[in-house]
Amino acid sequence: MTSHRQGVLYAVAAFLIWGICPLYFKLLAQVPAGEILTHRIIWSCVLLLAMLLAGRQLHRIRAALRQPRQLLSLTVSALLVAGNWLLFIWSVNNNHLLEASLGYYINPLFNVLLGMLFLGERLRRLQWLAVALASTGVLIQVLLLGHLPWIALALAGSFGIYGLIRKQIPVDAQTGLFVETLLLLPLALIYLFVIADSPTSHLAANPWPLNGLLVAAGVVTTVPLLLFTAGARLIPLSTLGFIQYLGPSLMFLLAILLFGEPIQPAKLLTFGCIWLALAVFSLEGWQRSRQRRAA
């Protein structure tokens, strides 16, 4: 198998898992979102530590922890990703998966804007058109439904800023995620064992299938990220850009076909504008990639 094909398989597997993970969170609908988040942090930290020990990579953790500036950046990124996880879990289990999927459709366009604002990148003509179409979609929802799609914008914004910060931290994905979960671990443990007082917060009283699902939060969090990282190293960003729409597309289908979330005409218009914006954005990226190869 060629490295390119292997990279495509890794990326498809990552976005496939991200796309169907709402099915997993629906199985935990009786567990408050905050508790699910704490389990996601705790068991991801345990799993990543085991992987780093197995790979004899503990020196990377020590190097990251010894740099105060890097540690501060990872603290900020940890809080952002925790907020993103919490909002996504809440959205799934409160029947807002459609709006969550819209957020992950918007994310690539939001990244373009962040690149322009913070990295000095210049938007090309078709990129401006894509951003304008996406903005039109949001404006349609505001005018016709009377409110901002705040879940979508918060998910796109938190994940976009998280990516911007992580892009500037010289640490690999596995070590970075472990340090982030390690920084969040004390808060997660205090919340779960001191503050939380729901029927599911007392692990010893839970049925073992439920505790098994809660422990699986570490796998659901860590495995797709590692697959994504492996795939991103082997395939061009233009190819990765096309594959990334698999995740929100699966979420959209799950919301409509399986969970029965209603989609008003205004929301459909919003999605139509976003999909058109992404088509323009992808076309521009594909054309630019061809020009680079030709040169």
Side-chain angles (χ1 to χ4, degrees):
M1 185 183 294
T2 64
S3 60
H4 182 273
R5 187 177 176 186
Q6 201 170 22
V8 168
L9 290 175
Y10 285 147
V12 167
F15 286 106
L16 186 62
I17 294 170
W18 277 325
I20 63 173
C21 73
L23 294 172
Y24 164 75
F25 292 121
K26 282 288 188 182
L27 293 174
L28 294 171
Q30 76 273 34
V31 182
E35 282 181 36
I36 299 174
L37 175 65
T38 61
H39 284 285
R40 201 168 181 182
I41 292 165
I42 292 165
W43 301 114
S44 294
C45 190
V46 171
L47 179 58
L48 285 160
L49 178 60
M51 294 175 70
L52 287 163
L53 284 169
R56 298 181 179 180
Q57 301 296 327
L58 287 182
H59 63 279
R60 294 183 179 178
I61 302 169
R62 288 193 291 268
L65 294 176
R66 284 173 183 164
Q67 300 183 51
R69 192 169 180 178
Q70 193 173 100
L71 200 57
L72 178 61
S73 296
L74 284 168
T75 301
V76 175
S77 67
L79 293 172
L80 282 166
V81 79
N84 183 273
W85 289 348
L86 179 62
L87 181 56
F88 180 73
I89 295 164
W90 180 89
S91 301
V92 172
N93 287 345
N94 286 272
N95 302 314
H96 294 292
L97 182 55
L98 265 179
E99 197 161 335
S101 72
L102 179 64
Y104 290 110
Y105 276 126
I106 292 173
N107 183 244
L109 301 171
F110 194 82
N111 289 341
V112 169
L113 282 177
L114 289 173
M116 180 187 71
L117 293 173
F118 295 102
L119 301 178
E121 297 175 1
R122 295 181 64 183
L123 268 69
R124 296 178 290 277
R125 192 171 300 173
L126 285 178
Q127 288 180 323
W128 274 116
L129 176 58
V131 170
L133 286 167
S135 302
T136 302
V138 172
L139 186 61
I140 285 170
Q141 187 158 327
V142 172
L143 294 175
L144 297 185
L145 295 181
H147 65 82
L148 275 170
W150 69 269
I151 294 173
L153 294 174
L155 286 172
S158 59
F159 199 69
I161 297 169
Y162 169 78
L164 177 69
I165 293 171
R166 283 298 305 271
K167 184 182 177 70
Q168 298 176 76
I169 304 173
V171 63
D172 64 280
Q174 188 174 324
T175 305
L177 183 62
F178 173 73
V179 174
E180 287 168 345
T181 55
L182 185 65
L183 291 167
L184 294 168
L185 187 61
L187 296 175
L189 292 172
I190 290 168
Y191 181 83
L192 184 62
F193 294 110
V194 179
I195 298 172
D197 189 26
S198 74
T200 55
S201 63
H202 306 286
L203 301 184
N206 287 343
W208 69 264
L210 176 58
N211 282 339
L213 282 171
L214 291 170
V215 172
V219 176
V220 171
T221 301
T222 304
V223 169
L225 179 67
L226 296 180
L227 286 168
F228 170 79
T229 305
R233 290 196 190 105
L234 297 173
I235 58 177
L237 281 177
S238 55
T239 305
L240 194 65
F242 280 110
I243 297 172
Q244 74 179 353
Y245 303 136
L246 176 63
S249 297
L250 287 170
M251 292 177 200
F252 179 86
L253 292 174
L254 285 175
I256 298 294
L257 301 177
L258 191 61
F259 302 147
E261 290 188 22
I263 181 162
Q264 303 102 317
K267 278 191 176 179
L268 202 53
L269 278 171
T270 296
F271 271 101
C273 287
I274 302 297
W275 288 333
L276 184 58
L278 291 173
V280 171
F281 179 73
S282 299
L283 176 64
E284 196 277 339
W286 177 72
Q287 287 179 338
R288 190 161 182 82
S289 178
R290 283 192 64 187
Q291 288 169 359
R292 283 176 178 169
R293 284 199 298 268

